[in-house]
Amino acid sequence: MKRADILRISTWNVDHARSVSRDPDRARLIDSADADVIILTETCDRVRPSDPSYEPVHSSPRPHCPDDERWVSIWTKIPVIERLSTEDPLRTVAVRLAAAGGALLVFGTVLPWHADIGDARDEPAPPRWQEHRRVVAAQTQEWVELRARYPEDRLVIAGDWNTDLLAGSGLTRYSYGLTAEVNTLLETAARLSLEVPTRHIEDPGRQRPWLIDHIAGPPGAQSVATVEAISDAGTALSDHPLVSVDWLTTTDA
Protein backbone atom coordinates (compact mmCIF):
# COMPACT_ATOMS: atom_id res chain seq x y z
CA MET A 1 0.00 0.00 0.00
CA LYS A 2 1.33 3.45 -0.92
CA ARG A 3 1.20 6.49 1.35
CA ALA A 4 1.62 10.16 0.40
CA ASP A 5 3.94 12.28 2.52
CA ILE A 6 5.09 15.89 2.30
CA LEU A 7 8.79 16.71 2.04
CA ARG A 8 9.44 20.33 3.01
CA ILE A 9 12.70 22.06 2.14
CA SER A 10 13.33 25.60 3.41
CA THR A 11 16.08 28.16 3.01
CA TRP A 12 16.85 31.43 4.77
CA ASN A 13 19.70 33.93 4.53
CA VAL A 14 20.12 35.10 8.14
CA ASP A 15 22.18 38.16 7.14
CA HIS A 16 25.18 37.25 9.35
CA ALA A 17 23.08 37.25 12.57
CA ARG A 18 25.46 39.61 14.33
CA SER A 19 22.91 40.77 16.91
CA VAL A 20 22.87 37.94 19.47
CA SER A 21 19.85 39.44 21.25
CA ARG A 22 17.66 38.55 18.26
CA ASP A 23 18.58 34.86 18.29
CA PRO A 24 15.30 33.81 20.00
CA ASP A 25 13.36 35.55 17.22
CA ARG A 26 15.53 33.83 14.61
CA ALA A 27 14.88 30.44 16.19
CA ARG A 28 11.12 31.08 16.22
CA LEU A 29 11.16 31.97 12.54
CA ILE A 30 13.22 28.88 11.67
CA ASP A 31 10.93 26.69 13.77
CA SER A 32 7.85 28.12 12.05
CA ALA A 33 8.97 26.52 8.77
CA ASP A 34 8.59 23.03 10.28
CA ALA A 35 10.95 21.87 7.53
CA ASP A 36 12.45 18.44 7.06
CA VAL A 37 15.60 20.19 5.83
CA ILE A 38 16.48 23.87 6.16
CA ILE A 39 19.43 25.49 4.44
CA LEU A 40 20.70 28.57 6.29
CA THR A 41 23.00 30.96 4.44
CA GLU A 42 25.27 33.80 5.61
CA THR A 43 24.92 32.12 8.96
CA CYS A 44 26.88 31.17 12.08
CA ASP A 45 26.85 28.12 14.30
CA ARG A 46 24.72 29.53 17.11
CA VAL A 47 21.76 30.11 14.72
CA ARG A 48 19.82 26.87 14.58
CA PRO A 49 16.37 25.30 14.98
CA SER A 50 15.17 24.77 18.54
CA ASP A 51 14.33 21.13 17.83
CA PRO A 52 17.31 19.00 18.92
CA SER A 53 16.47 16.34 16.35
CA TYR A 54 18.02 18.50 13.61
CA GLU A 55 21.58 17.55 12.64
CA PRO A 56 23.88 20.19 11.13
CA VAL A 57 26.18 19.84 8.15
CA HIS A 58 28.32 22.97 7.83
CA SER A 59 30.45 24.49 5.11
CA SER A 60 33.96 25.46 6.19
CA PRO A 61 34.35 28.62 8.32
CA ARG A 62 34.71 31.81 6.32
CA PRO A 63 38.08 33.60 6.30
CA HIS A 64 38.17 37.24 7.40
CA CYS A 65 35.11 36.57 9.61
CA PRO A 66 34.40 35.35 13.15
CA ASP A 67 35.37 31.70 13.57
CA ASP A 68 31.83 30.31 13.54
CA GLU A 69 30.54 32.29 10.55
CA ARG A 70 29.77 30.22 7.46
CA TRP A 71 28.27 30.67 4.04
CA VAL A 72 26.00 27.61 4.38
CA SER A 73 24.68 25.23 7.01
CA ILE A 74 22.24 22.42 6.25
CA TRP A 75 20.05 21.39 9.21
CA THR A 76 18.26 18.10 8.66
CA LYS A 77 15.77 15.94 10.50
CA ILE A 78 16.32 13.24 7.88
CA PRO A 79 19.18 10.88 8.77
CA VAL A 80 22.51 11.57 7.08
CA ILE A 81 23.92 8.88 4.80
CA GLU A 82 27.12 10.75 4.02
CA ARG A 83 28.57 14.18 3.63
CA LEU A 84 29.99 14.84 0.16
CA SER A 85 33.05 16.90 -0.65
CA THR A 86 32.41 19.95 -2.84
CA GLU A 87 34.65 21.97 -5.12
CA ASP A 88 34.22 25.05 -2.95
CA PRO A 89 33.98 24.03 0.73
CA LEU A 90 33.45 27.67 1.76
CA ARG A 91 30.45 28.60 -0.38
CA THR A 92 28.83 25.17 -0.64
CA VAL A 93 27.99 22.03 1.30
CA ALA A 94 26.40 18.78 0.11
CA VAL A 95 24.91 15.82 1.92
CA ARG A 96 23.03 12.62 1.06
CA LEU A 97 20.04 11.88 3.27
CA ALA A 98 18.07 8.70 3.93
CA ALA A 99 14.69 10.15 3.01
CA ALA A 100 11.46 8.19 2.67
CA GLY A 101 11.16 7.00 -0.90
CA GLY A 102 14.91 7.02 -1.60
CA ALA A 103 18.09 8.98 -1.07
CA LEU A 104 17.91 12.78 -1.17
CA LEU A 105 21.01 14.73 -2.22
CA VAL A 106 20.93 18.33 -0.92
CA PHE A 107 23.41 20.90 -2.25
CA GLY A 108 23.45 24.18 -0.32
CA THR A 109 25.02 27.25 -1.88
CA VAL A 110 25.52 31.01 -1.91
CA LEU A 111 26.21 32.34 -5.40
CA PRO A 112 28.08 35.68 -5.47
CA TRP A 113 26.15 38.94 -5.62
CA HIS A 114 26.92 41.73 -8.09
CA ALA A 115 29.62 43.41 -5.97
CA ASP A 116 31.08 40.25 -4.43
CA ILE A 117 34.88 40.29 -4.37
CA GLY A 118 35.27 36.66 -3.35
CA ASP A 119 36.85 35.15 -0.25
CA ALA A 120 40.35 35.42 -1.72
CA ARG A 121 40.16 39.23 -1.43
CA ASP A 122 42.14 39.77 -4.62
CA GLU A 123 43.64 43.17 -5.31
CA PRO A 124 42.39 45.04 -7.17
CA ALA A 125 38.78 44.00 -6.58
CA PRO A 126 37.21 42.18 -9.55
CA PRO A 127 34.66 44.02 -11.71
CA ARG A 128 31.01 43.75 -10.75
CA TRP A 129 29.38 40.37 -11.51
CA GLN A 130 32.76 38.75 -12.31
CA GLU A 131 32.62 36.43 -9.29
CA HIS A 132 29.01 35.56 -10.09
CA ARG A 133 29.96 34.57 -13.64
CA ARG A 134 32.89 32.47 -12.45
CA VAL A 135 31.00 30.64 -9.74
CA VAL A 136 27.88 29.97 -11.82
CA ALA A 137 30.02 28.30 -14.48
CA ALA A 138 31.86 26.19 -11.90
CA GLN A 139 28.86 25.20 -9.81
CA THR A 140 26.55 24.23 -12.64
CA GLN A 141 29.24 21.87 -13.90
CA GLU A 142 29.50 20.42 -10.40
CA TRP A 143 25.74 19.86 -10.29
CA VAL A 144 25.97 17.88 -13.51
CA GLU A 145 28.80 15.78 -12.10
CA LEU A 146 26.89 15.09 -8.88
CA ARG A 147 23.88 13.90 -10.87
CA ALA A 148 26.13 11.56 -12.85
CA ARG A 149 27.61 10.12 -9.63
CA TYR A 150 24.23 9.65 -7.93
CA PRO A 151 21.70 9.21 -10.75
CA GLU A 152 19.05 7.58 -8.55
CA ASP A 153 19.06 10.27 -5.83
CA ARG A 154 16.50 13.03 -5.76
CA LEU A 155 18.53 16.22 -6.10
CA VAL A 156 17.77 19.53 -4.37
CA ILE A 157 19.85 22.68 -4.87
CA ALA A 158 18.98 25.45 -2.45
CA GLY A 159 20.26 28.67 -0.94
CA ASP A 160 20.94 32.26 -1.89
CA TRP A 161 21.38 32.30 -5.68
CA ASN A 162 21.74 36.11 -5.79
CA THR A 163 19.62 36.34 -8.93
CA ASP A 164 15.88 36.45 -9.41
CA LEU A 165 16.31 34.28 -12.54
CA LEU A 166 14.29 36.78 -14.58
CA ALA A 167 17.03 38.61 -16.52
CA GLY A 168 16.30 38.36 -20.23
CA SER A 169 12.79 36.99 -19.65
CA GLY A 170 10.96 40.21 -20.49
CA LEU A 171 8.74 39.62 -17.46
CA THR A 172 10.07 42.53 -15.42
CA ARG A 173 11.98 45.76 -15.98
CA TYR A 174 13.84 45.35 -12.71
CA SER A 175 15.52 41.96 -12.83
CA TYR A 176 18.56 41.20 -10.69
CA GLY A 177 21.11 39.06 -12.46
CA LEU A 178 22.69 38.47 -15.85
CA THR A 179 20.91 36.97 -18.84
CA ALA A 180 23.71 34.56 -19.78
CA GLU A 181 24.07 33.24 -16.23
CA VAL A 182 20.30 32.97 -15.75
CA ASN A 183 20.17 30.89 -18.92
CA THR A 184 23.01 28.70 -17.65
CA LEU A 185 21.29 28.10 -14.32
CA LEU A 186 17.89 27.34 -15.84
CA GLU A 187 19.25 25.20 -18.67
CA THR A 188 21.33 23.19 -16.21
CA ALA A 189 18.33 22.69 -13.95
CA ALA A 190 16.28 21.49 -16.93
CA ARG A 191 19.09 19.16 -18.01
CA LEU A 192 19.02 17.63 -14.53
CA SER A 193 15.20 17.35 -14.60
CA LEU A 194 14.88 19.94 -11.86
CA GLU A 195 12.21 22.60 -11.51
CA VAL A 196 12.75 25.96 -9.80
CA PRO A 197 9.32 26.74 -8.31
CA THR A 198 10.68 29.78 -6.47
CA ARG A 199 11.18 31.63 -9.76
CA HIS A 200 8.45 34.24 -10.42
CA ILE A 201 7.66 34.45 -6.68
CA GLU A 202 7.48 37.93 -5.18
CA ASP A 203 9.66 38.84 -2.21
CA PRO A 204 7.29 39.55 0.71
CA GLY A 205 9.64 42.20 2.13
CA ARG A 206 10.64 45.60 0.82
CA GLN A 207 14.18 44.82 -0.28
CA ARG A 208 13.54 43.61 -3.84
CA PRO A 209 10.61 42.71 -6.12
CA TRP A 210 11.38 39.00 -6.59
CA LEU A 211 12.97 36.15 -4.65
CA ILE A 212 16.70 35.62 -5.07
CA ASP A 213 16.72 32.68 -2.63
CA HIS A 214 15.78 29.58 -4.60
CA ILE A 215 15.05 25.90 -4.15
CA ALA A 216 15.39 23.65 -7.20
CA GLY A 217 14.16 20.09 -7.00
CA PRO A 218 12.24 17.30 -8.67
CA PRO A 219 9.15 18.07 -10.75
CA GLY A 220 5.84 18.22 -8.93
CA ALA A 221 6.36 20.82 -6.20
CA GLN A 222 3.06 21.32 -4.39
CA SER A 223 3.51 24.81 -2.98
CA VAL A 224 5.91 27.69 -2.29
CA ALA A 225 5.62 29.72 0.91
CA THR A 226 7.47 32.86 1.96
CA VAL A 227 7.63 34.57 5.34
CA GLU A 228 9.04 38.04 5.86
CA ALA A 229 11.91 37.93 8.36
CA ILE A 230 10.68 40.18 11.13
CA SER A 231 10.69 39.74 14.88
CA ASP A 232 7.63 39.69 17.14
CA ALA A 233 8.39 43.35 17.86
CA GLY A 234 8.38 44.20 14.16
CA THR A 235 12.15 44.64 13.67
CA ALA A 236 13.92 43.16 10.65
CA LEU A 237 15.88 39.95 11.22
CA SER A 238 17.26 39.82 7.68
CA ASP A 239 16.85 41.40 4.27
CA HIS A 240 15.82 37.97 2.95
CA PRO A 241 12.59 36.07 3.62
CA LEU A 242 12.27 32.48 4.74
CA VAL A 243 11.35 30.38 1.69
CA SER A 244 9.81 26.89 1.78
CA VAL A 245 8.82 24.40 -0.91
CA ASP A 246 6.70 21.29 -0.37
CA TRP A 247 6.96 18.14 -2.47
CA LEU A 248 4.53 15.24 -2.38
CA THR A 249 6.38 11.95 -2.03
CA THR A 250 5.00 8.44 -2.22
CA THR A 251 6.32 5.69 0.02
CA ASP A 252 5.41 2.15 1.00
CA ALA A 253 3.24 2.22 4.11
Side-chain angles (χ1 to χ4, degrees), residues 13-28:
N13 180 317
V14 306
D15 194 22
H16 308 289
R18 294 199 174 115
S19 174
V20 177
S21 65
R22 294 181 182 174
D23 281 354
D25 288 310
R26 293 185 183 99
R28 280 192 290 274

Side-chain angles (χ1 to χ4, degrees), residues 3-208:
R3 184 186 68 191
D5 293 309
I6 294 293
L7 171 69
R8 177 169 296 168
I9 308 291
S10 300
T11 188
W12 183 36
N13 180 317
V14 306
D15 194 22
H16 308 289
R18 294 199 174 115
S19 174
V20 177
S21 65
R22 294 181 182 174
D23 281 354
D25 288 310
R26 293 185 183 99
R28 280 192 290 274
L29 182 65
I30 293 168
D31 293 346
S32 73
D34 192 24
D36 298 288
V37 181
I38 183 163
I39 297 91
L40 299 181
T41 60
E42 291 190 20
T43 187
C44 57
D45 291 358
R46 71 172 199 279
V47 178
R48 56 155 298 151
S50 298
D51 187 340
S53 67
Y54 281 96
E55 179 178 354
V57 184
H58 300 297
S59 63
S60 298
R62 291 182 60 190
H64 319 294
C65 294
D67 289 345
D68 68 344
E69 189 166 335
R70 305 175 192 274
W71 281 118
V72 190
S73 291
I74 296 173
W75 294 86
T76 174
K77 286 183 179 179
I78 303 172
V80 173
I81 299 172
E82 61 177 325
R83 174 174 177 162
L84 304 177
S85 61
T86 58
E87 295 294 329
D88 186 343
L90 294 175
R91 298 194 83 102
T92 66
V93 63
V95 64
R96 298 181 69 227
L97 305 175
L104 178 69
L105 198 168
V106 180
F107 186 97
T109 184
V110 177
L111 296 175
W113 60 97
H114 71 285
D116 200 333
I117 62 174
D119 284 304
R121 299 290 174 91
D122 292 336
E123 296 292 343
R128 290 195 168 197
W129 290 111
Q130 180 171 302
E131 275 293 287
H132 185 82
R133 290 186 177 98
R134 180 186 69 81
V135 174
V136 166
Q139 279 199 27
T140 50
Q141 180 59 40
E142 186 172 13
W143 302 348
V144 171
E145 292 168 357
L146 281 171
R147 169 65 89 200
R149 285 167 56 196
Y150 302 100
E152 301 302 320
D153 288 11
R154 287 169 291 167
L155 176 61
V156 169
I157 301 166
D160 182 357
W161 292 28
N162 272 303
T163 172
D164 56 25
L165 297 174
L166 295 174
S169 69
L171 298 175
T172 176
R173 294 175 57 192
Y174 304 106
S175 61
Y176 182 67
L178 302 172
T179 299
E181 278 60 45
V182 167
N183 289 341
T184 296
L185 290 164
L186 294 177
E187 288 168 4
T188 304
R191 177 181 173 185
L192 301 177
S193 299
L194 302 179
E195 294 181 351
V196 191
T198 46
R199 189 179 183 232
H200 303 136
I201 302 295
E202 294 182 0
D203 189 316
R206 301 178 180 86
Q207 298 297 320
R208 55 189 68 86

